[in-house]
PDB file of all heavy atoms in Angstrom:
ATOM      1  N   GLY A  91    -111.788  86.322 164.359  1.00 90.00           N
ATOM      2  CA  GLY A  91    -112.298  86.008 163.023  1.00 90.00           C
ATOM      3  C   GLY A  91    -113.615  85.473 163.016  1.00 90.00           C
ATOM      4  O   GLY A  91    -114.440  85.699 162.122  1.00 90.00           O
ATOM      5  N   MET A  92    -113.963  84.673 164.074  1.00 93.00           N
ATOM      6  CA  MET A  92    -115.307  84.165 164.227  1.00 93.00           C
ATOM      7  C   MET A  92    -116.439  85.194 164.415  1.00 93.00           C
ATOM      8  O   MET A  92    -117.495  85.097 163.840  1.00 93.00           O
ATOM      9  CB  MET A  92    -115.366  83.100 165.358  1.00 93.00           C
ATOM     10  CG  MET A  92    -114.485  81.829 165.067  1.00 93.00           C
ATOM     11  SD  MET A  92    -114.428  81.160 163.399  1.00 93.00           S
ATOM     12  CE  MET A  92    -116.150  80.591 163.264  1.00 93.00           C
ATOM     13  N   LEU A  95    -116.841  86.801 161.056  1.00 95.00           N
ATOM     14  CA  LEU A  95    -117.679  85.816 160.199  1.00 95.00           C
ATOM     15  C   LEU A  95    -119.076  85.938 160.510  1.00 95.00           C
ATOM     16  O   LEU A  95    -119.971  86.126 159.670  1.00 95.00           O
ATOM     17  CB  LEU A  95    -117.154  84.467 160.269  1.00 95.00           C
ATOM     18  CG  LEU A  95    -117.967  83.403 159.462  1.00 95.00           C
ATOM     19  CD1 LEU A  95    -117.891  83.566 157.923  1.00 95.00           C
ATOM     20  CD2 LEU A  95    -117.519  81.929 159.864  1.00 95.00           C
ATOM     21  N   ILE A  99    -122.098  87.355 158.039  1.00 97.00           N
ATOM     22  CA  ILE A  99    -123.245  86.600 157.670  1.00 97.00           C
ATOM     23  C   ILE A  99    -124.568  87.144 158.026  1.00 97.00           C
ATOM     24  O   ILE A  99    -125.513  87.153 157.150  1.00 97.00           O
ATOM     25  CB  ILE A  99    -123.168  85.087 158.227  1.00 97.00           C
ATOM     26  CG1 ILE A  99    -121.945  84.394 157.568  1.00 97.00           C
ATOM     27  CG2 ILE A  99    -124.513  84.332 157.999  1.00 97.00           C
ATOM     28  CD1 ILE A  99    -121.700  82.986 158.244  1.00 97.00           C
ATOM     29  N   ALA A 112    -122.349  76.698 151.598  1.00 97.00           N
ATOM     30  CA  ALA A 112    -121.053  76.727 152.268  1.00 97.00           C
ATOM     31  C   ALA A 112    -120.054  75.690 151.696  1.00 97.00           C
ATOM     32  O   ALA A 112    -120.545  74.607 151.168  1.00 97.00           O
ATOM     33  CB  ALA A 112    -121.120  76.618 153.750  1.00 97.00           C
ATOM     34  N   ALA A 113    -118.824  75.885 151.764  1.00 96.00           N
ATOM     35  CA  ALA A 113    -117.822  74.924 151.245  1.00 96.00           C
ATOM     36  C   ALA A 113    -117.796  73.751 152.191  1.00 96.00           C
ATOM     37  O   ALA A 113    -118.036  73.814 153.340  1.00 96.00           O
ATOM     38  CB  ALA A 113    -116.492  75.562 151.216  1.00 96.00           C
ATOM     39  N   LEU A 116    -114.342  73.434 155.727  1.00 93.00           N
ATOM     40  CA  LEU A 116    -114.323  74.587 156.482  1.00 93.00           C
ATOM     41  C   LEU A 116    -113.740  74.318 157.848  1.00 93.00           C
ATOM     42  O   LEU A 116    -113.950  73.214 158.456  1.00 93.00           O
ATOM     43  CB  LEU A 116    -115.730  75.182 156.739  1.00 93.00           C
ATOM     44  CG  LEU A 116    -116.529  75.720 155.454  1.00 93.00           C
ATOM     45  CD1 LEU A 116    -117.791  75.998 155.825  1.00 93.00           C
ATOM     46  CD2 LEU A 116    -115.756  77.054 155.032  1.00 93.00           C
ATOM     47  N   TYR A 117    -113.207  75.311 158.516  1.00 93.00           N
ATOM     48  CA  TYR A 117    -112.834  75.356 159.965  1.00 93.00           C
ATOM     49  C   TYR A 117    -113.970  74.805 160.759  1.00 93.00           C
ATOM     50  O   TYR A 117    -115.144  75.223 160.614  1.00 93.00           O
ATOM     51  CB  TYR A 117    -112.392  76.751 160.322  1.00 93.00           C
ATOM     52  CG  TYR A 117    -111.971  77.024 161.712  1.00 93.00           C
ATOM     53  CD1 TYR A 117    -110.974  76.164 162.284  1.00 93.00           C
ATOM     54  CD2 TYR A 117    -112.529  78.038 162.468  1.00 93.00           C
ATOM     55  CE1 TYR A 117    -110.539  76.433 163.639  1.00 93.00           C
ATOM     56  CE2 TYR A 117    -112.068  78.287 163.674  1.00 93.00           C
ATOM     57  CZ  TYR A 117    -111.043  77.520 164.343  1.00 93.00           C
ATOM     58  OH  TYR A 117    -110.661  77.783 165.602  1.00 93.00           O
ATOM     59  N   GLY A 118    -113.681  73.944 161.775  1.00 93.00           N
ATOM     60  CA  GLY A 118    -114.688  73.460 162.646  1.00 93.00           C
ATOM     61  C   GLY A 118    -115.623  74.374 163.337  1.00 93.00           C
ATOM     62  O   GLY A 118    -116.757  74.167 163.394  1.00 93.00           O
ATOM     63  N   ALA A 119    -115.052  75.547 163.849  1.00 94.00           N
ATOM     64  CA  ALA A 119    -115.811  76.558 164.459  1.00 94.00           C
ATOM     65  C   ALA A 119    -116.820  77.207 163.458  1.00 94.00           C
ATOM     66  O   ALA A 119    -117.884  77.597 163.775  1.00 94.00           O
ATOM     67  CB  ALA A 119    -114.939  77.519 165.043  1.00 94.00           C
ATOM     68  N   THR A 120    -116.411  77.286 162.192  1.00 95.00           N
ATOM     69  CA  THR A 120    -117.264  77.889 161.186  1.00 95.00           C
ATOM     70  C   THR A 120    -118.490  76.937 161.021  1.00 95.00           C
ATOM     71  O   THR A 120    -119.641  77.500 160.892  1.00 95.00           O
ATOM     72  CB  THR A 120    -116.508  78.096 159.845  1.00 95.00           C
ATOM     73  OG1 THR A 120    -115.403  78.950 160.038  1.00 95.00           O
ATOM     74  CG2 THR A 120    -117.415  78.703 158.799  1.00 95.00           C
ATOM     75  N   VAL A 121    -118.143  75.666 160.924  1.00 96.00           N
ATOM     76  CA  VAL A 121    -119.276  74.714 160.736  1.00 96.00           C
ATOM     77  C   VAL A 121    -120.249  74.832 161.896  1.00 96.00           C
ATOM     78  O   VAL A 121    -121.447  74.850 161.763  1.00 96.00           O
ATOM     79  CB  VAL A 121    -118.722  73.221 160.635  1.00 96.00           C
ATOM     80  CG1 VAL A 121    -119.862  72.279 160.608  1.00 96.00           C
ATOM     81  CG2 VAL A 121    -117.984  73.155 159.362  1.00 96.00           C
ATOM     82  N   HIS A 122    -119.661  74.932 163.108  1.00 96.00           N
ATOM     83  CA  HIS A 122    -120.417  75.118 164.298  1.00 96.00           C
ATOM     84  C   HIS A 122    -121.363  76.317 164.292  1.00 96.00           C
ATOM     85  O   HIS A 122    -122.583  76.250 164.561  1.00 96.00           O
ATOM     86  CB  HIS A 122    -119.623  75.176 165.631  1.00 96.00           C
ATOM     87  CG  HIS A 122    -120.239  75.697 166.800  1.00 96.00           C
ATOM     88  ND1 HIS A 122    -121.130  74.936 167.596  1.00 96.00           N
ATOM     89  CD2 HIS A 122    -120.196  76.902 167.450  1.00 96.00           C
ATOM     90  CE1 HIS A 122    -121.657  75.633 168.539  1.00 96.00           C
ATOM     91  NE2 HIS A 122    -120.991  76.819 168.525  1.00 96.00           N
ATOM     92  N   ILE A 123    -120.807  77.457 163.768  1.00 97.00           N
ATOM     93  CA  ILE A 123    -121.640  78.641 163.728  1.00 97.00           C
ATOM     94  C   ILE A 123    -122.824  78.433 162.692  1.00 97.00           C
ATOM     95  O   ILE A 123    -123.943  78.851 163.000  1.00 97.00           O
ATOM     96  CB  ILE A 123    -120.821  79.896 163.329  1.00 97.00           C
ATOM     97  CG1 ILE A 123    -119.959  80.411 164.560  1.00 97.00           C
ATOM     98  CG2 ILE A 123    -121.648  81.004 162.654  1.00 97.00           C
ATOM     99  CD1 ILE A 123    -119.101  81.598 164.201  1.00 97.00           C
ATOM    100  N   LEU A 124    -122.459  77.850 161.590  1.00 98.00           N
ATOM    101  CA  LEU A 124    -123.497  77.624 160.505  1.00 98.00           C
ATOM    102  C   LEU A 124    -124.603  76.706 161.077  1.00 98.00           C
ATOM    103  O   LEU A 124    -125.851  76.944 160.915  1.00 98.00           O
ATOM    104  CB  LEU A 124    -122.902  76.971 159.283  1.00 98.00           C
ATOM    105  CG  LEU A 124    -121.909  78.015 158.615  1.00 98.00           C
ATOM    106  CD1 LEU A 124    -121.185  77.248 157.408  1.00 98.00           C
ATOM    107  CD2 LEU A 124    -122.671  79.193 158.173  1.00 98.00           C
ATOM    108  N   MET A 125    -124.243  75.570 161.707  1.00 97.00           N
ATOM    109  CA  MET A 125    -125.207  74.545 162.034  1.00 97.00           C
ATOM    110  C   MET A 125    -125.940  74.753 163.409  1.00 97.00           C
ATOM    111  O   MET A 125    -127.167  74.469 163.545  1.00 97.00           O
ATOM    112  CB  MET A 125    -124.496  73.085 162.139  1.00 97.00           C
ATOM    113  CG  MET A 125    -123.689  72.733 160.843  1.00 97.00           C
ATOM    114  SD  MET A 125    -124.832  72.583 159.459  1.00 97.00           S
ATOM    115  CE  MET A 125    -125.845  71.175 159.975  1.00 97.00           C
ATOM    116  N   ASP A 126    -125.099  75.351 164.386  1.00 97.00           N
ATOM    117  CA  ASP A 126    -125.677  75.484 165.717  1.00 97.00           C
ATOM    118  C   ASP A 126    -126.183  76.876 166.026  1.00 97.00           C
ATOM    119  O   ASP A 126    -126.830  76.970 167.048  1.00 97.00           O
ATOM    120  CB  ASP A 126    -124.645  75.150 166.729  1.00 97.00           C
ATOM    121  CG  ASP A 126    -124.255  73.500 166.521  1.00 97.00           C
ATOM    122  OD1 ASP A 126    -124.995  72.844 165.988  1.00 97.00           O
ATOM    123  OD2 ASP A 126    -123.135  73.235 166.982  1.00 97.00           O
ATOM    124  N   PHE A 128    -126.900  79.535 163.087  1.00 97.00           N
ATOM    125  CA  PHE A 128    -127.765  79.959 161.948  1.00 97.00           C
ATOM    126  C   PHE A 128    -128.962  79.087 161.678  1.00 97.00           C
ATOM    127  O   PHE A 128    -129.989  79.465 161.449  1.00 97.00           O
ATOM    128  CB  PHE A 128    -126.820  80.422 160.783  1.00 97.00           C
ATOM    129  CG  PHE A 128    -126.195  81.648 161.024  1.00 97.00           C
ATOM    130  CD1 PHE A 128    -124.885  81.606 161.261  1.00 97.00           C
ATOM    131  CD2 PHE A 128    -126.775  82.821 160.772  1.00 97.00           C
ATOM    132  CE1 PHE A 128    -124.139  82.856 161.487  1.00 97.00           C
ATOM    133  CE2 PHE A 128    -126.205  84.023 160.963  1.00 97.00           C
ATOM    134  CZ  PHE A 128    -124.819  84.054 161.265  1.00 97.00           C
ATOM    135  N   PHE A 137    -123.945  72.311 152.175  1.00 98.00           N
ATOM    136  CA  PHE A 137    -122.538  72.258 152.015  1.00 98.00           C
ATOM    137  C   PHE A 137    -122.283  71.639 150.560  1.00 98.00           C
ATOM    138  O   PHE A 137    -122.966  70.674 150.133  1.00 98.00           O
ATOM    139  CB  PHE A 137    -121.970  71.307 153.001  1.00 98.00           C
ATOM    140  CG  PHE A 137    -121.987  71.916 154.324  1.00 98.00           C
ATOM    141  CD1 PHE A 137    -123.018  71.693 155.316  1.00 98.00           C
ATOM    142  CD2 PHE A 137    -120.953  72.896 154.752  1.00 98.00           C
ATOM    143  CE1 PHE A 137    -123.034  72.280 156.494  1.00 98.00           C
ATOM    144  CE2 PHE A 137    -121.019  73.499 156.126  1.00 98.00           C
ATOM    145  CZ  PHE A 137    -122.073  73.227 156.937  1.00 98.00           C
ATOM    146  N   VAL A 159    -120.346  80.900 151.735  1.00 97.00           N
ATOM    147  CA  VAL A 159    -119.291  80.896 152.754  1.00 97.00           C
ATOM    148  C   VAL A 159    -118.124  79.966 152.288  1.00 97.00           C
ATOM    149  O   VAL A 159    -118.442  78.780 152.024  1.00 97.00           O
ATOM    150  CB  VAL A 159    -119.806  80.462 154.150  1.00 97.00           C
ATOM    151  CG1 VAL A 159    -118.594  80.321 155.170  1.00 97.00           C
ATOM    152  CG2 VAL A 159    -120.847  81.370 154.643  1.00 97.00           C
ATOM    153  N   MET A 160    -116.865  80.509 152.180  1.00 95.00           N
ATOM    154  CA  MET A 160    -115.792  79.675 151.877  1.00 95.00           C
ATOM    155  C   MET A 160    -114.630  80.241 152.487  1.00 95.00           C
ATOM    156  O   MET A 160    -114.664  81.305 152.942  1.00 95.00           O
ATOM    157  CB  MET A 160    -115.579  79.500 150.252  1.00 95.00           C
ATOM    158  CG  MET A 160    -115.304  80.951 149.670  1.00 95.00           C
ATOM    159  SD  MET A 160    -114.866  80.921 147.850  1.00 95.00           S
ATOM    160  CE  MET A 160    -113.167  80.252 147.972  1.00 95.00           C
ATOM    161  N   GLU A 161    -113.601  79.472 152.628  1.00 92.00           N
ATOM    162  CA  GLU A 161    -112.201  79.980 152.974  1.00 92.00           C
ATOM    163  C   GLU A 161    -111.357  79.979 151.726  1.00 92.00           C
ATOM    164  O   GLU A 161    -111.397  78.973 150.988  1.00 92.00           O
ATOM    165  CB  GLU A 161    -111.697  79.064 154.107  1.00 92.00           C
ATOM    166  CG  GLU A 161    -112.637  79.048 155.347  1.00 92.00           C
ATOM    167  CD  GLU A 161    -112.224  77.953 156.360  1.00 92.00           C
ATOM    168  OE1 GLU A 161    -111.465  77.092 156.032  1.00 92.00           O
ATOM    169  OE2 GLU A 161    -112.821  78.022 157.500  1.00 92.00           O
ATOM    170  N   ASN A 165    -109.333  75.410 156.028  1.00 85.00           N
ATOM    171  CA  ASN A 165    -108.752  74.758 157.112  1.00 85.00           C
ATOM    172  C   ASN A 165    -109.588  73.600 157.632  1.00 85.00           C
ATOM    173  O   ASN A 165    -110.808  73.749 157.839  1.00 85.00           O
ATOM    174  CB  ASN A 165    -108.719  75.905 158.299  1.00 85.00           C
ATOM    175  CG  ASN A 165    -108.057  75.466 159.580  1.00 85.00           C
ATOM    176  OD1 ASN A 165    -107.696  74.309 159.790  1.00 85.00           O
ATOM    177  ND2 ASN A 165    -108.082  76.405 160.469  1.00 85.00           N
TER     178      ASN A 165
END
Side-chain angles (χ1 to χ4, degrees):
M92 296 315 297
L95 176 66
I99 292 172
L116 290 173
Y117 177 53
T120 301
V121 174
H122 165 71
I123 282 179
L124 296 174
M125 304 299 296
D126 298 336
F128 283 101
F137 293 94
V159 175
M160 66 174 280
E161 296 167 350
N165 178 356

